[in-house]
Amino acid sequence: AQTVTQSQPEMSVQEAETVTLSCTYDTSESDYYLFWYKQPPSRQMILVIRQEAYKQQNATENRFSVNFQKAAKSFSLKISDSQLGDAAMYFCAPGGSEKLVFGKGTKLTVNP
Amino acid sequence: DVKVTQSSRYLVKRTGEKVFLECVQDMDHENMFWYRQDPGLGLRLIYFSYDVKMKEKGDIPEGYSVSREKKERFSLILESASTNQTSMYLCATRGAGRYSPLHFGNGTRLTVT
């Protein structure tokens, strides 16, 4: 079974600043992947970044990067140079062979 | 790009009605999912299917059923809608392979009165 904890229901950041969203998880699978999804007010869920659990190198996609600590089962998302368009709900989701399990989400507000 | 289309964006139904939520994908993905999204609870998996006519229960299947007669279409059925099923419903697909992400539709906001 998989469980996911996003301990920050809400976060805010100033435009152009950096923010980190936390996620911890538990899984019984040995081979799995981790995903961060973004859901803006338009409500279309969009993939932000993904990480293969067996890779030690942290994934990066432009302004988005992760800090993956496998032993601690931690998978945080760092957003650099925050933009107004980054305002959204962010969901962490570890996934194995069949399904992804989602955290409860963190609502990110970006202040101009 | 993967396109996942949910037939209705907003739906209002009465208690006791039978409700069908339709989802169609155009990418030949084997795996399809129905999630329910509620504030403070995140996304919870209702049912998923990894092949035509195959279905698996997710974490909250009670009060729901599904149908997958064709690979591209996955329907969620509320046999007798109740007010506690008022929610946002998200359909998603996933290709083969552990690294494959989910691709979501736009969601259907269902209100049961």
Side-chain angles (χ1 to χ4, degrees):
Chain A
Q2 294 171 327
T3 59
V4 186
T5 302
Q6 292 182 249
S7 58
Q8 308 146 316
E10 296 189 25
M11 294 275 290
S12 64
V13 64
Q14 291 296 126
E15 200 174 0
E17 298 287 304
T18 295
V19 64
T20 299
L21 310 183
S22 66
C23 173
T24 58
Y25 63 93
D26 197 7
T27 180
S28 56
E29 300 206 37
S30 57
D31 184 13
Y32 58 94
Y33 294 81
L34 300 124
F35 303 85
W36 275 99
Y37 281 86
K38 167 185 176 181
Q39 187 182 40
S42 65
R43 78 190 192 200
Q44 177 78 50
M45 290 279 278
I46 303 165
L47 176 68
V48 175
I49 197 166
R50 55 184 162 179
Q51 171 82 39
E52 299 169 64
Y54 68 85
K55 282 191 176 178
Q56 293 186 346
Q57 186 173 4
N58 290 322
T60 299
E61 286 285 343
N62 301 315
R63 297 182 295 106
F64 299 88
S65 62
V66 301
N67 182 6
F68 176 48
Q69 304 285 334
K70 190 173 184 178
K73 293 185 178 177
S74 171
F75 182 58
S76 60
L77 175 69
K78 185 171 83 169
I79 306 173
S80 304
D81 185 25
S82 297
Q83 300 176 359
L84 295 177
D86 295 333
M89 285 290 293
Y90 287 82
F91 295 94
C92 169
S97 56
E98 285 189 335
K99 59 184 182 181
L100 274 65
V101 176
F102 285 80
K104 294 182 179 180
T106 296
K107 182 180 181 181
L108 179 65
T109 301
V110 181
N111 301 309
Chain B
D1 278 353
V2 176
K3 189 166 185 183
V4 182
T5 303
Q6 293 184 233
S7 54
S8 303
R9 197 157 171 86
Y10 299 94
L11 210 52
V12 179
K13 295 292 182 180
R14 293 195 179 276
T15 301
E17 277 193 80
K18 190 169 185 176
V19 181
F20 292 86
L21 302 183
E22 306 286 345
C23 177
V24 177
Q25 53 114 348
D26 67 354
M27 281 302 291
D28 203 36
H29 283 173
E30 292 84 1
N31 305 297
M32 297 188 75
F33 303 80
W34 276 106
Y35 286 90
R36 171 177 172 159
Q37 183 179 12
D38 299 287
L41 297 178
L43 278 71
R44 294 179 291 167
L45 182 63
I46 305 171
Y47 267 97
F48 64 103
S49 168
Y50 52 86
D51 203 351
V52 176
K53 296 192 185 294
M54 306 299 289
K55 61 183 179 183
E56 294 283 343
K57 292 181 180 179
D59 300 316
I60 52 164
E62 296 78 19
Y64 303 94
S65 63
V66 290
S67 171
R68 192 160 181 206
E69 296 297 318
K70 294 184 178 181
K71 190 174 186 179
E72 67 270 18
R73 186 180 296 271
F74 191 36
S75 303
L76 180 68
I77 304 159
L78 287 66
E79 295 289 343
S80 178
S82 63
T83 54
N84 62 14
Q85 292 178 309
T86 291
S87 186
M88 172 74 76
Y89 291 89
L90 295 173
C91 175
T93 73
R94 189 182 188 195
R98 292 172 178 271
Y99 199 53
S100 298
L102 288 173
H103 300 270
F104 285 87
N106 275 331
T108 295
R109 184 170 295 283
L110 173 67
T111 302
V112 182
T113 61

